[in-house]
């Protein structure tokens, strides 16, 4: 086959941000086109190879540029997704593509995958939504972003974030420190998400005055949660009775989002997960939304997707 040269120019994009630290994104992109010589100089890319392969590269490269322009973000995982035959679906125009909230440093926090966008849409139109998926799919992060947006827009008066402290059996007395110090390790992922979206000083004030409340699930008993955006995280570690208790806390003007990963149940072996139970019990209620996220939604390090896949394959072998 004849080979030829072709030039591609990056317009309106910082090459250093697009190609990644030490050209890490560029090096990863090259692994998908082993027969193509790809050289980047500034905002110009020189290609050398077969015309058909260069055509395919240009088509995929346009998707990468569109993704970067939309999300101000490019990683090995997004490259992975966009190299797939259906990668263009990740760029579909719908309500999920809007900026959910401006994080610290002006970072635009958006739904980055098809199912994250579906989650945003469901939360917009339904008062109770379940987001189910493996680690790294952004289910909790997206839910927290929607909660912060609702609070800023004065759609709710407060945010309530909760999760079962199942690792300690919700019996925290043996741990050192006061109650807050005992609970914080189990609630840290929720703090981490908030710290990305709200300045430290402002977040401290909101926590102090109860505008944002982070508490273990046991603290929800007997309450009515109204005019609030409420997120139950790690819901796979609830019992059916705990789940019933939580869902019936819902006030007249509340928004509830329940997130969980059925592959990471930490309950005692014979204890049924409240999340699995409630998904079956409530499956016919149309007003409740259920979004299932998968491997294509994983936006952590590219290794996370491979780890999840390996575990799923191992589990399938055990079932046979």
């Amino acid at each position: 086959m004849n080979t030829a040269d072709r030039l591609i120019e990056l317009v309106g994009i910082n090459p250093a941000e697009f190609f990644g630290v030490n050209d890490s994104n560029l090096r990863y992109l090259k692994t998908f086109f082993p027969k193509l010589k790809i050289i980047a100089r500034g905002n110009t890319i020189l290609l050398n190879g077969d015309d058909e392969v260069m055509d395919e590269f240009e088509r995929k490269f346009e998707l990468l540029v569109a993704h970067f322009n939309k999300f101000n973000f490019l990683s090995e995982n997004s490259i992975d997704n966009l190299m797939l035959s259906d990668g263009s679906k990740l760029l579909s125009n719908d309500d999920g593509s809007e900026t959910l909230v401006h994080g610290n440093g002006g970072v635009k926090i958006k739904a980055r995958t098809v199912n994250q966008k579906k989650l945003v849409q469901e939360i917009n139109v339904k008062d109770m939504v379940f987001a189910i998926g493996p680690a790294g799919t952004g289910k909790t992060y997206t839910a927290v972003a929607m909660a912060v947006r609702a609070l800023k827009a004065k759609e709710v008066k407060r945010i309530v974030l909760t999760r079962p402290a199942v690792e300690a059996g919700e019996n925290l007395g043996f741990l050192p420190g006061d109650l807050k110090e005992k609970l914080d390790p189990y609630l840290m992922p929720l703090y981490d998400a908030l710290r990305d979206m709200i300045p430290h000083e402002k977040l401290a004030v909101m926590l102090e005055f109860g505008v944002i409340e982070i508490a273990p699930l046991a603290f929800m008993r007997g309450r009515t949660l109204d005019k609030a955006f409420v997120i139950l995280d790690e819901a796979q570690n609830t019992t059916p009775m705990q789940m019933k208790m939580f869902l019936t806390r819902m006030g007249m003007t509340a928004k509830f989002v329940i997130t969980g990963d059925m592959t990471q149940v930490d309950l005692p072996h014979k204890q049924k997960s409240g999340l699995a139970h409630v998904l079956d019990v409530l499956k016919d209620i149309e007003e409740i939304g259920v979004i299932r996220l998968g491997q294509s939604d994983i936006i952590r390090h590219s290794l996370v997707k491979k780890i999840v896949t390996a575990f799923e394959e191992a589990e399938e072998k055990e079932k046979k």
Side-chain angles (χ1 to χ4, degrees):
M1 293 183 181
N2 295 326
T3 61
D5 290 335
R6 195 177 298 183
L7 287 175
I8 301 176
E9 189 173 357
L10 270 177
V11 179
I13 292 177
N14 184 332
E17 293 180 6
F18 185 82
F19 291 129
V21 178
N22 296 322
D23 288 338
S24 58
N25 289 338
L26 179 62
R27 287 199 304 274
Y28 191 62
L29 179 59
K30 287 179 178 180
T31 65
F32 292 91
F33 298 92
K35 295 181 180 180
L36 199 60
K37 187 175 182 180
I38 306 169
I39 301 172
R41 292 193 180 98
N43 65 342
T44 301
I45 299 169
L46 173 66
L47 304 179
N48 179 266
D50 179 68
D51 279 333
E52 288 185 8
V53 180
M54 287 193 292
D55 288 343
E56 175 67 6
F57 178 89
E58 283 203 72
R59 188 175 71 81
K60 295 293 188 180
F61 194 77
E62 287 177 4
L63 290 176
L64 295 176
V65 170
H67 185 279
F68 187 87
N69 282 330
K70 177 173 272 192
F71 299 113
N72 297 309
F73 175 86
L74 194 63
S75 67
E76 286 189 6
N77 189 70
S78 50
I79 292 170
D80 230 10
N81 289 330
L82 289 160
M83 289 300 108
L84 300 174
S85 58
D86 63 347
S88 59
K89 291 180 181 178
L90 296 176
L91 302 170
S92 58
N93 292 318
D94 56 48
D95 291 340
S97 65
E98 65 186 314
T99 298
L100 304 181
V101 64
H102 286 88
N104 292 327
V107 174
K108 294 180 180 179
I109 295 172
K110 300 183 178 184
R112 294 178 183 169
T113 71
V114 171
N115 286 322
Q116 287 179 12
K117 294 176 184 180
K118 288 180 180 177
L119 177 57
V120 168
Q121 291 174 329
E122 284 290 271
I123 293 172
N124 279 333
V125 298
K126 295 182 178 177
D127 289 336
M128 184 177 290
V129 178
F130 289 80
I132 316 300
T137 51
K139 53 191 183 294
T140 301
Y141 199 82
T142 302
V144 172
M146 291 295 287
V148 172
R149 184 173 80 163
L151 184 65
K152 288 185 175 181
K154 298 188 180 345
E155 295 170 6
V156 297
K157 289 188 174 181
R158 59 190 173 128
I159 296 172
V160 178
L161 308 176
T162 185
R163 54 175 8 202
V166 71
E167 296 90 343
E170 299 229 21
N171 180 11
L172 304 163
F174 66 89
L175 293 173
D178 60 22
L179 185 60
K180 184 179 185 301
E181 290 170 334
K182 292 176 182 182
L183 294 172
D184 277 356
Y186 305 102
L187 304 172
M188 193 56 66
L190 301 172
Y191 284 109
D192 289 343
L194 287 169
R195 288 189 185 109
D196 280 356
M197 303 174 198
I198 301 173
H200 175 74
E201 297 80 6
K202 189 172 183 180
L203 177 58
V205 172
M206 288 178 162
L207 289 166
E208 181 181 355
F209 288 95
V211 177
I212 297 177
E213 177 185 354
I214 305 178
L217 182 60
F219 283 34
M220 300 298 114
R221 190 172 301 277
R223 301 174 60 184
T224 299
L225 302 172
D226 200 11
K227 298 178 181 177
F229 196 116
V230 185
I231 299 173
L232 170 58
D233 193 34
E234 298 287 345
Q236 76 275 3
N237 289 327
T238 62
T239 66
M241 287 303 295
Q242 285 176 321
M243 182 63 81
K244 180 181 177 183
M245 177 275 291
F246 172 75
L247 296 181
T248 54
R249 301 306 93 203
M250 191 176 195
M252 290 289 291
T253 58
K255 180 86 72 173
F256 271 39
V257 178
I258 301 95
T259 72
D261 175 4
M262 290 309 305
T263 69
Q264 294 190 20
V265 178
D266 297 317
L267 294 166
H269 181 63
K270 293 183 180 180
Q271 175 65 64
K272 185 175 182 180
S273 167
L275 180 59
H277 177 72
V278 79
L279 287 172
D280 181 54
V281 170
L282 304 180
K283 64 181 183 294
D284 295 326
I285 301 179
E286 293 181 2
E287 294 87 351
I288 296 176
V290 178
I291 298 296
R292 298 185 184 275
L293 300 98
Q295 293 178 28
S296 64
D297 302 293
I298 294 175
I299 55 174
R300 291 181 185 169
H301 194 287
S302 58
L303 273 176
V304 176
K305 181 184 292 188
K306 295 174 183 177
I307 290 167
V308 170
T309 301
F311 271 96
E312 288 179 352
E313 290 173 351
E315 289 166 4
E316 285 300 316
K317 287 179 183 178
E318 290 178 3
K319 291 177 183 178
K320 293 179 181 179

Short mmCIF file of all heavy atoms in Angstrom, two decimals, residues 16 37 42 44 75 97 104 110 135 139 153-155 188 244 253 298:
data_model
loop_
_atom_site.label_atom_id
_atom_site.label_comp_id
_atom_site.label_asym_id
_atom_site.label_seq_id
_atom_site.Cartn_x
_atom_site.Cartn_y
_atom_site.Cartn_z
N ALA A 16 -0.87 21.38 25.13
CA ALA A 16 -0.36 20.76 26.36
C ALA A 16 -1.50 20.11 27.16
O ALA A 16 -1.35 19.01 27.70
CB ALA A 16 0.36 21.80 27.22
N LYS A 37 2.30 6.51 11.61
CA LYS A 37 3.31 7.35 12.25
C LYS A 37 2.66 8.67 12.63
O LYS A 37 2.11 9.37 11.77
CB LYS A 37 4.49 7.58 11.30
CG LYS A 37 5.67 8.29 11.96
CD LYS A 37 6.85 8.39 11.00
CE LYS A 37 8.05 9.06 11.67
NZ LYS A 37 9.20 9.17 10.73
N GLY A 42 3.81 21.26 18.54
CA GLY A 42 2.94 22.38 18.87
C GLY A 42 1.49 21.98 18.65
O GLY A 42 1.03 20.96 19.14
N THR A 44 0.26 21.24 15.69
CA THR A 44 0.19 20.53 14.41
C THR A 44 0.56 19.06 14.60
O THR A 44 1.50 18.72 15.33
CB THR A 44 1.17 21.16 13.38
OG1 THR A 44 0.83 22.52 13.19
CG2 THR A 44 1.08 20.43 12.05
N SER A 75 -8.84 12.11 28.85
CA SER A 75 -8.06 11.15 29.64
C SER A 75 -7.95 9.86 28.85
O SER A 75 -8.58 9.69 27.81
CB SER A 75 -8.76 10.88 30.98
OG SER A 75 -9.98 10.18 30.75
N SER A 97 -25.52 17.52 28.91
CA SER A 97 -24.25 18.11 28.50
C SER A 97 -24.02 19.48 29.12
O SER A 97 -22.95 20.05 28.97
CB SER A 97 -24.19 18.22 26.96
OG SER A 97 -25.18 19.11 26.49
N ASN A 104 -14.54 24.43 42.26
CA ASN A 104 -13.45 25.31 42.70
C ASN A 104 -12.47 25.55 41.56
O ASN A 104 -12.16 24.65 40.77
CB ASN A 104 -12.73 24.68 43.89
CG ASN A 104 -13.62 24.63 45.12
OD1 ASN A 104 -14.45 25.52 45.32
ND2 ASN A 104 -13.46 23.61 45.94
N LYS A 110 -19.53 18.53 34.65
CA LYS A 110 -20.58 18.09 33.72
C LYS A 110 -20.72 16.57 33.78
O LYS A 110 -19.83 15.87 34.23
CB LYS A 110 -20.21 18.48 32.29
CG LYS A 110 -20.03 19.97 32.05
CD LYS A 110 -19.73 20.22 30.57
CE LYS A 110 -19.59 21.71 30.28
NZ LYS A 110 -19.39 21.96 28.84
N ALA A 135 -17.74 0.78 40.77
CA ALA A 135 -16.87 1.86 41.22
C ALA A 135 -16.38 2.69 40.04
O ALA A 135 -16.09 2.17 38.97
CB ALA A 135 -15.67 1.28 41.97
N LYS A 139 -21.53 7.94 39.79
CA LYS A 139 -22.92 8.01 40.25
C LYS A 139 -23.08 8.93 41.45
O LYS A 139 -23.97 9.78 41.48
CB LYS A 139 -23.47 6.60 40.54
CG LYS A 139 -22.63 5.77 41.48
CD LYS A 139 -23.09 4.31 41.51
CE LYS A 139 -22.28 3.53 42.52
NZ LYS A 139 -20.85 3.41 42.13
N ALA A 153 -29.54 27.05 43.32
CA ALA A 153 -30.71 27.60 42.62
C ALA A 153 -31.89 27.81 43.56
O ALA A 153 -32.97 28.20 43.12
CB ALA A 153 -31.11 26.66 41.48
N LYS A 154 -31.68 27.54 44.87
CA LYS A 154 -32.71 27.70 45.90
C LYS A 154 -33.93 26.80 45.65
O LYS A 154 -35.05 27.12 46.04
CB LYS A 154 -33.15 29.17 46.02
CG LYS A 154 -32.01 30.10 46.44
CD LYS A 154 -32.52 31.49 46.73
CE LYS A 154 -31.48 32.48 47.16
NZ LYS A 154 -30.17 32.02 47.58
N GLU A 155 -33.69 25.68 44.95
CA GLU A 155 -34.76 24.70 44.76
C GLU A 155 -34.98 23.89 46.03
O GLU A 155 -36.05 23.32 46.25
CB GLU A 155 -34.41 23.77 43.60
CG GLU A 155 -34.34 24.48 42.24
CD GLU A 155 -33.75 23.59 41.16
OE1 GLU A 155 -33.51 22.40 41.44
OE2 GLU A 155 -33.54 24.08 40.03
N MET A 188 -16.11 10.12 54.23
CA MET A 188 -15.10 10.90 53.51
C MET A 188 -15.38 11.03 52.02
O MET A 188 -15.15 12.11 51.45
CB MET A 188 -13.71 10.28 53.74
CG MET A 188 -12.58 11.20 53.30
SD MET A 188 -12.65 12.83 54.11
CE MET A 188 -12.33 12.36 55.82
N LYS A 244 -36.30 0.63 53.90
CA LYS A 244 -37.69 1.06 54.09
C LYS A 244 -37.75 2.29 54.99
O LYS A 244 -38.47 3.25 54.72
CB LYS A 244 -38.53 -0.08 54.67
CG LYS A 244 -40.00 0.31 54.89
CD LYS A 244 -40.78 -0.84 55.51
CE LYS A 244 -42.22 -0.42 55.78
NZ LYS A 244 -42.99 -1.52 56.44
N THR A 253 -41.64 17.93 49.58
CA THR A 253 -40.88 18.63 48.55
C THR A 253 -39.41 18.22 48.54
O THR A 253 -38.53 19.05 48.35
CB THR A 253 -41.00 20.16 48.73
OG1 THR A 253 -40.51 20.51 50.04
CG2 THR A 253 -42.42 20.63 48.58
N ILE A 298 -17.10 4.41 33.50
CA ILE A 298 -16.00 4.55 34.46
C ILE A 298 -15.07 5.67 34.01
O ILE A 298 -14.54 5.65 32.90
CB ILE A 298 -15.22 3.23 34.61
CG1 ILE A 298 -16.13 2.17 35.25
CG2 ILE A 298 -13.97 3.43 35.46
CD1 ILE A 298 -15.51 0.79 35.36
#
